[in-house]
Amino acid sequence: MTASLEQLRRCHFAVDLGAARTRVYVKGAGLVVDQPSAAAVNTRTGALIAVGELAERMKGRTPGYIRVVRPVSGGTVVDIDMAQRMLRHLLGDRIRRTLRRRPGLRAAACTPHDADPLAQRATIETLVGLGARRVELVETLIAAAVGCGLPVERPEATMILVCGAATTQVAVLSLGSIVTAERMPVGGDAVDHAIVQHLRHEHELMLPSQSVRPLQLALSGNGLTPLGPESTEIHGRDVATGLARSVKVDTAAVRHAIQTPLTAVLDGIGKVLRGCPPDLVADLVDRGIMMVGGSALLPGLDQMLRQATGMPVHIAERPDVCAVQGLGAMLEGKIAPLVLNPLAT
């Protein structure tokens, strides 16, 4: 359920809890937190050792008694206590003191499309634990569309594709609301996993750390496009011997390996278009699809979608922060509501 603009204007800060990164926007101060959604915990004492980028760098490099956890999965808080502790440390004492001074502290948060009541409750409880008296929920699709400047309030179709780490959401918007939408359990992590498995099965090679995006390690230039390099050399650990080894990887084979997760995204786009009124689909022929989210920057993904759908595909200027920027614009009152006055009889 999406809160009204009037309710959002009363909020003091906004949070976008993503599977990959957590972002916090404070009214009047802008984006104050943009860190990985990770926390390192001492399993012997339960003490929090690090959060954000430092915890992310620890993954795969810690002794047995230190565990790196992700309290958010697919836009849903799976560990409320750890998410609260992570947010407190990411915000810092100065920002938390500033927020505590606000009477009747209100917060806004992004939620995935069709999030169940339990997932919504987990997000609300996480922010209530930080001192919020009231939490307004906004669908990520609408927040991201506002953040990248799409005219969502007009009676014209706009299509947005939110490419997250764990999930991908696609929707057609008109008159400030979602007409049809789908959420697929496939994201940037699934693409990374497909490449990791390809390297393991075809070249018997394991990458140094699966927390590092294999695409950015293995590919350069035009990446996963026919115009990109035919092969590239990457370093890893041999599966059999455990020794360091370098192999040359054919990028055409990598493109083929990631077709399976990308097919699910194309199926979701097709399902949304089939459920859309013909008039709105006609609008999309010229407008095309707007891609947002951190995984929208995967090399060649926009070209693959363009070839498969036959529609223009655009990537937002800053796709990774569109959702939280859209929430911030609503908090600051930069979005004018569409007033539909009933006709007199």
Side-chain angles (χ1 to χ4, degrees):
M1 181 179 179
T2 298
S4 68
L5 287 174
E6 186 60 35
Q7 291 171 322
L8 290 171
R9 285 198 191 98
R10 299 173 186 168
C11 294
H12 302 98
F13 71 103
V15 178
D16 178 17
L17 284 168
R21 298 185 74 87
T22 293
R23 299 176 177 92
V24 180
Y25 186 103
V26 175
K27 194 173 185 177
L31 187 64
V32 297
V33 173
D34 185 1
Q35 294 277 342
S37 302
V41 184
N42 187 327
T43 56
R44 295 174 181 172
T45 63
L48 198 62
I49 297 174
V51 296
E53 290 183 358
L54 181 56
E56 183 77 6
R57 289 201 300 268
M58 289 182 179
K59 190 172 183 181
R61 302 172 181 269
T62 60
Y65 65 92
I66 296 178
R67 188 164 57 100
V68 178
V69 298
R70 290 188 174 275
V72 184
S73 176
T76 302
V77 178
V78 294
D79 188 338
I80 295 174
D81 179 63
M82 188 55 65
Q84 289 176 351
R85 296 172 68 185
M86 180 186 74
L87 278 171
R88 287 192 194 101
H89 283 78
L90 289 176
L91 286 171
D93 293 335
R94 185 175 62 84
I95 298 175
R96 283 191 288 124
R97 280 197 301 267
T98 302
L99 291 176
R100 279 200 297 265
R101 295 193 194 104
R102 308 282 178 92
L105 184 65
R106 291 185 175 217
C110 290
T111 57
H113 175 67
D114 280 347
D116 58 74
L118 190 61
Q120 295 181 7
R121 188 66 191 172
T123 302
I124 292 172
E125 289 188 11
T126 300
L127 298 183
V128 167
L130 293 178
R133 297 290 183 268
R134 184 180 174 90
V135 179
E136 308 291 352
L137 299 180
V138 180
E139 289 209 24
T140 304
L141 290 163
I142 294 179
V146 171
C148 64
L150 290 179
V152 295
E153 75 283 354
R154 296 181 186 174
E156 301 166 357
T158 54
M159 191 170 193
I160 187 163
L161 184 71
V162 179
C163 307
T167 61
T168 299
Q169 304 173 66
V170 59
V172 173
L173 309 175
S174 180
L175 289 174
S177 299
I178 295 175
V179 180
T180 56
E182 283 292 323
R183 180 166 59 141
M184 295 77 73
V186 174
D189 290 346
V191 175
D192 290 353
H193 182 71
I195 296 176
V196 168
Q197 292 302 311
H198 170 75
L199 295 175
R200 185 184 180 96
H201 294 151
E202 298 297 326
H203 301 278
E204 297 184 345
L205 189 78
M206 293 182 65
L207 292 180
S209 174
Q210 293 190 18
S211 64
V212 181
R213 299 192 71 86
L215 279 174
Q216 300 194 3
L217 284 177
L219 301 170
S220 58
N222 291 316
L224 296 177
T225 66
L227 300 177
E230 292 184 0
S231 64
T232 184
E233 186 175 0
I234 61 172
H235 311 284
R237 190 184 74 185
D238 190 277
V239 173
T241 65
L243 300 177
R245 185 162 64 91
S246 299
V247 297
K248 272 200 169 183
V249 178
D250 183 11
T251 53
V254 175
R255 284 200 301 274
H256 180 73
I258 67 171
Q259 286 302 314
T260 300
L262 292 182
T263 300
V265 176
L266 294 175
D267 289 344
I269 294 174
K271 190 173 182 180
V272 167
L273 291 174
R274 286 192 296 272
C276 224
D279 291 342
L280 294 180
V281 175
D283 291 343
L284 298 175
V285 173
D286 296 326
R287 294 177 177 272
I289 305 171
M290 178 64 76
M291 294 176 60
V292 301
S295 298
L297 298 173
L298 288 173
L301 178 57
D302 56 331
Q303 294 190 25
M304 290 182 183
L305 292 177
R306 196 175 293 117
Q307 292 173 0
T309 62
M311 294 192 300
V313 178
H314 315 283
I315 300 177
E317 186 176 350
R318 293 194 61 191
D320 51 339
V321 296
C322 281
V324 73
Q325 293 285 16
L327 283 179
M330 297 178 195
L331 264 61
E332 303 283 2
K334 296 179 180 177
I335 307 300
L338 178 66
V339 179
L340 296 175
N341 294 319
L343 295 176
T345 56

